Amino acid sequence: MLMPKKVKYRKQQKGRNRGKAWRGGFITDRQIEASRIAMTRFIKRGGKIWVRMFPDKPITKKPAEVRMGSGKGPLDHWSAVIKPGKILFEMEGVTLEQAREAMRLASHKLPIMTKLVHRHDVKVGAVAAK
């Protein structure tokens, strides 16, 4: 799974989205990897895929049936903070129909709403957070 090589602080506060960024959310490293695998399996060796997000936020979790207090829990997984309009994946070297189907398969693995955006001058597709 994706994770940073080194971080200054092991644990972070949750934070919040400011302004009108009330959609978006967190995408975990496992969800990123699952959607990347779904796309690469569909296009086989036809094109190239870029993952434009990186899980750099540590998420902690306390074990089950532990009493309140006694500090913050241990690191559970890493996640990427996604705001509306962020490009999540890019693809080139495939037709628009192939890109649309591959991005559809990838979007089923993600917990946020996405939409396909594409450039008209270049044969490239990208999926963005809606």
Side-chain angles (χ1 to χ4, degrees), residues 12-124:
Q12 280 183 13
Q13 290 187 339
K14 188 172 299 223
R16 62 179 177 161
N17 285 340
R18 293 175 178 268
K20 297 190 177 184
W22 51 270
R23 290 178 311 228
F26 292 160
I27 296 182
T28 67
D29 51 351
R30 292 173 184 269
Q31 291 164 343
I32 294 170
E33 186 67 14
S35 53
R36 185 193 67 79
I37 289 171
M39 283 192 295
T40 51
R41 282 198 178 143
F42 180 76
I43 64 166
K44 299 184 174 67
R45 288 188 294 274
K48 181 149 177 56
I49 295 173
W50 289 274
V51 179
R52 295 278 307 271
M53 56 188 158
F54 187 77
D56 56 354
K57 185 171 188 61
I59 305 296
T60 60
K61 188 173 182 184
K62 294 185 87 133
E65 300 181 5
V66 172
R67 293 184 178 182
M68 292 275 103
S70 72
K72 196 170 170 118
L75 177 70
D76 186 49
H77 61 273
W78 295 88
S79 69
V81 180
I82 305 298
K83 291 183 179 176
K86 171 138 179 75
I87 302 290
L88 306 178
F89 300 102
E90 281 189 32
M91 188 181 295
E92 85 171 351
V94 294
T95 64
L96 185 60
E97 291 76 28
Q98 286 177 322
R100 184 172 282 129
E101 179 61 20
M103 298 287 186
R104 185 188 69 82
L105 292 171
S107 69
H108 285 307
K109 312 286 186 207
L110 300 176
I112 59 175
M113 288 173 43
T114 58
K115 67 178 178 182
L116 181 79
V117 294
H118 65 93
R119 290 169 47 180
H120 297 285
D121 57 341
V122 182
K123 289 185 180 178
V124 89

